[in-house]
Amino acid sequence: MFEDETVDIECPKCGHRNSMLVRGFEESAETHFVCVNCKTGVKVEANEFRHRLDQMREELEALERDAAREAKPKPKRPPKDDFQI
Ligand SMILES: [Zn+2]
């Protein structure tokens, strides 16, 4: 599932964000791509990138946790005014 995700990698020369398949980084130590904007060849070290992948995974998991929590109905709490002394 995660392998089909794409990431945006900023071109070091022009700052254009290029979409890359995450799968490419999983399979090789380094990945080359050509910036679609300025045609500069960019080398991405996978080791360096894996830290970002790990961070993305954690963020994704956190998001999924939040989504799961929000999907459940909240426990209904009686309004304060209902309490009598
Ligand atoms: Zn560029």
Side-chain angles (χ1 to χ4, degrees):
M1 51 158 216
F2 194 77
E3 284 70 27
D4 290 328
E5 297 282 330
T6 58
V7 285
D8 288 342
I9 298 176
E10 210 168 281
C11 171
K13 193 178 177 189
C14 74
H16 180 82
R17 294 169 79 86
N18 296 270
S19 278
M20 298 281 298
L21 263 181
V22 166
R23 188 173 16 219
F25 298 101
E26 299 281 310
E27 287 171 355
S28 53
E30 60 181 50
T31 299
H32 297 79
F33 71 92
V34 177
C35 174
V36 295
N37 188 47
C38 68
K39 313 298 180 197
T40 297
V42 182
K43 186 179 84 172
V44 184
E45 298 280 350
N47 282 342
E48 197 176 302
F49 188 77
R50 281 201 179 98
H51 293 296
R52 268 188 67 187
L53 274 184
D54 287 343
Q55 282 179 350
M56 284 176 56
R57 282 205 173 94
E58 281 168 23
E59 281 171 22
L60 267 180
E61 282 167 14
L63 280 176
E64 280 168 11
R65 273 199 301 274
D66 283 352
R69 196 160 50 216
E70 277 169 24
K72 288 177 192 161
K74 286 178 184 170
K76 208 175 177 186
R77 296 175 63 178
K80 274 184 195 167
D81 293 342
D82 281 357
F83 288 107
Q84 289 180 345
I85 304 174

